[in-house]
Amino acid sequence: MKLNTVNLPKCENCAIRATALFGELETRHLDRARALRSSQVSYTAGEYLYYEGDIPTKAFTVYKGWVTLFKNLRNGDRQILRFALPGDFLCYKVGKNKQLDHSAIAVSDVTLCAFPIDRFREVISELPELAFALSSITETTIKRCHTALTTIASHPAETKVAYLLLSLFIREASLLNNPERIPFPITQEDIADALGLTPIHVNRVFQSLRKQGLILCKNRSLGIPDKAALAKVAKISLPELEQLMMGI
Amino acid sequence: MKLNTVNLPKCENCAIRATALFGELETRHLDRARALRSSQVSYTAGEYLYYEGDIPTKAFTVYKGWVTLFKNLRNGDRQILRFALPGDFLCYKVGKNKQLDHSAIAVSDVTLCAFPIDRFREVISELPELAFALSSITETTIKRCHTALTTIASHPAETKVAYLLLSLFIREASLLNNPERIPFPITQEDIADALGLTPIHVNRVFQSLRKQGLILCKNRSLGIPDKAALAKVAKISLPELEQLMMGI
DNA sequence: CGGGGAGTTGAATGCAGTCAACAAATGTGG
DNA sequence: CCACATTTGTTGACTGCATTCAACTCCCCG
């Protein structure tokens, strides 16, 4: 973990602002809102960002890298709740029970923008728009959670895997000017833990998808030559998924 | 659908306030906040409250009865996202894309307290606490969504069914002074749609649970003689689940 | 060069789905 | 109030997808 409080990059021209917390705010409000941001924090791959049960003091926007949010189950398994990519907002918590219900680990090396949670109260009272920006973010989170639920409940494993790969690809590619392939730091086991499958079966699905030419996946990188075709396997409409994964 | 705008019950001594939106507010703030509530709405069993794609103008707190929130899938299936019980907050939406991502149907006859969404903005600017009350609600929603995800991903169907029955029982029982049995308006097919199982298999699990004496379920009513025992099958800690299902 | 994590393959088991038919409960109209 | 229709619940036989267990390969990193 490495903290940086000086020479923070400007929010105004931040590449990920459109999809992040401040993307919901008009530029003229940025001055006041930016007062929230106190620092940037970096973690190396494999490091915990926080643990289930922690009481957080800072919320984060992912600035660079991928993060896994997950719960450890009593049988030793873990359930991955989602993968957080640049622009995602983590760890905000104001309810009565302030304990976090999940843990987070850096999948790749990550950098986060940190916001002291207790400062949100003051800023919101003079800038109610921030409250709506927060609501908007959590609405997206819930929506994604809903589609995740829907996906995991759907029976054929091929559908689940296709859905997950496609949605990660769309999100990461949009941050990178839509390259052919994206860096793909997660393992087949991560995917299994996210979808409630065994790594072995995920592997078999991967091979089947490769054989069909739907995915190119090796060396920690992922390519999807024909997104529409994969969307068909994922049983989802591509435009809908793109809308969900981008802006809001 | 039946609208009522006169003689609305007082929020102060509302039985469900503790678990509802205003439960997050201190009593001294209630005066201003209550200005939000405009009406009560009633629906009969089977009626739609709203449809996926609608742009809502009102948010609701469930006052009486059960509601199903669900998505229709392209293969004709539907995925139930959650069952909303008295105290639950529905249909609040402020993000850029204001379309609802799911539909809602009254399972039993229901009564809702309605709040015009556009009035939240004004009230929040003079009562920032309301913004935190909203955040707190959505945090609970996300937490429940997370445990739902975790449950549905878990493999044995018995675990899933046990979890769902137990959590519904705990919530409804706490509203009713913990009776032996609760009214249980949902069908086995609903449960199947919530858990991603077939109704046939849900039925088999029901019979197995009945044979083990873990559930008493007939005539639209549910009893759970030994919650701890069912919690064991659900592979969840009973105190944890109770905490999640009650206050927050 | 060795070790460990990630990925791959095969065989056997079993949980849950499918299809089909029927029983029970609930609701509706005559 | 009964007869009929519809929905909900129940049972059985068969199939198949995904798990489990075990062994082995590949690749990266130290």
Side-chain angles (χ1 to χ4, degrees), chain A residues 52 70-81 193, chain B residues 146-147 149-151 153-155 235:
Chain A
E52 184 171 347
F70 64 95
K71 285 166 91 87
N72 281 114
L73 310 181
R74 46 178 45 55
N75 60 3
D77 286 5
R78 63 175 190 160
Q79 176 62 41
I80 290 182
L81 301 169
D193 287 343
Chain B
H146 283 170
T147 54
L149 247 169
T150 305
T151 308
S154 86
H155 312 125
K235 293 204 179 89

Side-chain angles (χ1 to χ4, degrees), chain B residues 85-155:
Chain B
L85 272 58
D88 275 0
F89 189 60
L90 308 179
C91 207
Y92 182 69
K93 202 85 183 60
V94 299
K96 280 180 201 157
N97 179 349
K98 297 200 170 60
Q99 288 190 15
L100 292 165
D101 70 332
H102 64 271
S103 312
I105 282 188
V107 182
S108 52
D109 293 350
V110 299
T111 302
L112 312 170
C113 297
F115 308 90
I117 290 176
D118 51 18
R119 210 176 295 165
F120 277 90
R121 183 159 243 123
E122 321 153 22
V123 177
I124 282 177
S125 61
E126 59 179 54
L127 185 64
E129 280 74 13
L130 182 61
F132 290 91
L134 283 170
S135 288
S136 191
I137 295 279
T138 54
E139 279 166 23
T140 308
T141 305
I142 291 178
K143 253 161 76 171
R144 287 190 185 149
C145 207
H146 283 170
T147 54
L149 247 169
T150 305
T151 308
I152 289 187
S154 86
H155 312 125

Side-chain angles (χ1 to χ4, degrees), chain A residues 155 186-189 200 203-204 207 210 220:
Chain A
H155 312 123
I186 63 178
T187 66
Q188 292 182 5
E189 185 156 17
I200 292 121
N203 183 282
R204 289 180 176 129
Q207 291 174 51
R210 269 197 281 250
R220 306 273 113 127

